[in-house]
Amino acid sequence: MNPTRTDGGAGAVPRPVDPRLLVREQGFRGYLREFLRRLRGGELGSVPVVLGLIVIWVIFQLLNDRFLTPRNLSNLSVDIVGTGLIAVGVVFVLLIGEIDLSVGSVSGLAAAAFAVLNVHQGMAEWLAVMVAVLSGTAVGAVHGFFFARIGVPAFVVTLAGLLGWNGLMLYVLGTRGTINLDDEGLVARLTSLYFDDIAAAYGLAAVSVAIFFLSSCLGGLRRKTLGVPCRPLSEIAVRTGVLAVIAFAAAYTLNRFQGLPLALLIFLLVVVSLDLLLHRTPYGRKIFALGGGVEAARRAGINVVWVRISVFMVSGTMAAIGGLFLASRITSASQTSGSGMLLMMAIAAAVIGGTSLFGGRGSTWSALLGMLVIQSIASGMALLGIQTAVQFMITGSVLLAAVVIDSLSRRSQRAHGLV
């Protein structure tokens, strides 16, 4: 690895080098040094949550041999989708260093709006879905306007939204209480439809691996053309191999139960699409820039007001979509939709998965990993017959550990001049 440059002279302070410009030493020693450098610099990435997830799975499998069965893992993959989609929207807000406390109420409002429009007003399902999703977008725009244009703290705006939108949901439902959805309808089938042809799951795995390999090669060629250090082909091959093992193992497991769930397929497409939006587009770079510092982003010519409003619109939209999936899971919308621990679980999933509470760091994959941790704990506890109170205490402890790691990581990065 290239040495870190100094300003010259005895006792000169080392000047930090952009890690993207470092050339890693080849071979195992190079990987080890790169890992230690990232560890010292606080660039832990997804390593803590992945290790934690492995530990959780091993412990619950040792305590109950039904935990890693195809049935349980397949159900787990569907259970994470509703809250996971909401958590994806929360990631966007956290990236700019803010928080959205209204996502639970917005998800409940969207589910109630869809149920009333479709079941009681006779509106076509696809149109009711559009209205419900756009209602979440509009709610997000209102939050963003008061925050970015008027200057009201996001915490206060969304706290008011939590109460106000929950009240509107109760008003929309009226005295009906619970509205049951059509079991064979579009929304109900979002979480009940499985592609039982084994080619579906294996095909998805093969396409995912192929796209990853090609995009990695093309990205490497582009960086090489620009004279920027890039990953060698051997490393790309190793990464592709690891992804292939995970993808085909997941496909094999799903095919041993009912096949590939439609809900999981949609969730993965959303996660990948929005991750590309964040990391491969100018709009995404503006979000990260805003999370790194508002004044610096403004001086760089970024329209801070628009980016802030748009981020809350994304959060509201994802909350509405997540609410429809949660309604689909129980084929109904009720006065309890969006309430309870949903808000806390969505925020906890984003943070546990690796998105920083301080802004400027994270990805949509955080929502997926965080939900896998939370739902794995819930599933394991249910199999062991442990009461919900204990589950909340353990999940809270995991959340605290994630925040502590995030804080220590940020402190380490600051010490190394990386933030």
Side-chain angles (χ1 to χ4, degrees):
M1 184 180 298
N2 290 344
T4 303
R5 294 180 300 175
T6 64
D7 292 326
V13 178
R15 190 167 54 192
V17 177
D18 189 334
R20 293 170 297 183
L21 302 180
L22 295 175
V23 179
R24 190 182 59 243
E25 183 180 340
Q26 297 294 319
F28 177 75
R29 179 179 293 181
Y31 283 101
L32 182 60
R33 288 188 176 183
E34 172 72 4
F35 176 74
L36 293 177
R37 184 193 65 77
R38 286 176 175 270
L39 201 61
R40 286 194 297 270
E43 300 176 58
L44 301 178
S46 302
V47 173
V49 66
V50 171
L51 292 177
L53 186 61
I54 293 173
V55 170
I56 290 170
W57 282 22
V58 170
I59 290 176
F60 280 123
Q61 177 62 21
L62 292 175
L63 294 175
N64 190 314
D65 59 4
R66 289 184 298 164
F67 181 76
L68 291 182
T69 58
R71 170 187 289 273
N72 192 52
L73 292 178
S74 180
N75 289 334
L76 193 152
S77 72
V78 178
D79 289 338
I80 65 174
V81 174
T83 310
L85 288 168
I86 299 173
V88 169
V90 172
V91 167
F92 275 72
V93 180
L94 291 178
L95 283 176
I96 63 170
E98 301 297 337
I99 196 162
D100 188 346
L101 299 178
S102 69
V103 288
S105 297
V106 175
S107 70
L109 175 62
F114 168 80
V116 170
L117 291 173
N118 176 242
V119 178
H120 289 283
Q121 302 299 324
M123 183 180 287
E125 267 199 298
W126 67 271
L127 186 56
V129 168
M130 292 296 295
V131 172
V133 172
L134 291 177
S135 69
T137 308
V139 166
V142 171
H143 292 164
F145 174 79
F146 279 101
F147 165 60
R149 182 64 73 183
I150 307 298
V152 183
F155 175 83
V156 178
V157 173
T158 55
L159 180 60
L162 182 152
L163 299 172
W165 304 125
N166 187 58
L168 181 58
M169 180 198 72
L170 296 176
Y171 179 80
V172 168
L173 288 174
T175 58
R176 302 178 184 91
T178 300
I179 301 177
N180 294 320
L181 306 180
D182 180 7
D183 291 339
E184 299 299 323
L186 172 65
V187 171
R189 289 177 65 81
L190 286 176
T191 55
S192 64
L193 180 62
Y194 289 75
F195 299 104
D196 53 6
D197 189 337
I198 61 172
Y202 286 130
L204 177 63
V207 170
S208 302
V209 172
I211 291 177
F212 177 81
F213 179 74
L214 291 175
S215 63
S216 298
C217 290
L218 292 175
L221 286 175
R222 187 169 59 250
R223 291 174 67 87
K224 193 174 182 178
T225 304
L226 296 173
V228 179
C230 60
R231 292 192 177 96
L233 184 60
S234 58
E235 181 178 340
I236 294 176
V238 170
R239 285 171 173 260
T240 304
V242 172
L243 176 63
V245 170
I246 296 173
F248 281 96
Y252 173 74
T253 303
L254 292 173
N255 280 334
R256 289 182 62 196
F257 184 53
Q258 291 181 314
L260 176 65
L262 173 63
L264 178 62
L265 175 61
I266 294 175
F267 187 30
L268 290 175
L269 289 175
V270 169
V271 168
V272 172
S273 301
L274 293 184
D275 189 65
L276 290 174
L277 176 70
L278 281 175
H279 293 94
R280 294 288 185 268
T281 67
Y283 173 69
R285 285 189 280 274
K286 290 177 182 176
I287 293 177
F288 280 105
L290 199 55
V294 176
E295 189 55 34
R298 184 177 285 112
R299 294 189 178 189
I302 294 175
N303 188 337
V304 173
V305 172
W306 158 243
V307 174
R308 281 176 160 174
I309 292 176
S310 66
V311 163
F312 277 92
M313 291 172 68
V314 172
S315 178
T317 303
M318 295 311 301
I321 296 174
L324 293 177
F325 274 83
L326 291 173
S328 169
R329 196 66 172 142
I330 56 176
T331 60
S332 67
S334 70
Q335 294 178 343
T336 60
S337 296
S339 60
M341 297 299 295
L342 178 60
L343 168 63
M344 292 297 105
M345 289 302 177
I347 296 176
V351 176
I352 290 173
T355 299
S356 174
L357 278 172
F358 305 100
R361 191 177 61 199
S363 76
T364 54
W365 291 99
S366 305
L368 173 61
L369 292 172
M371 275 312 302
L372 278 175
V373 170
I374 292 175
Q375 200 58 44
S376 295
I377 294 174
S379 176
M381 292 287 181
L383 287 175
L384 296 174
I386 298 175
Q387 55 184 321
T388 307
V390 178
Q391 173 194 329
F392 288 162
M393 287 188 281
I394 292 178
T395 305
S397 301
V398 174
L399 174 60
L400 178 61
V403 175
V404 169
I405 291 173
D406 181 32
S407 300
L408 295 177
S409 169
R410 190 172 180 82
R411 182 185 300 177
S412 177
Q413 286 187 318
R414 189 180 296 113
H416 287 77
L418 298 177
V419 294

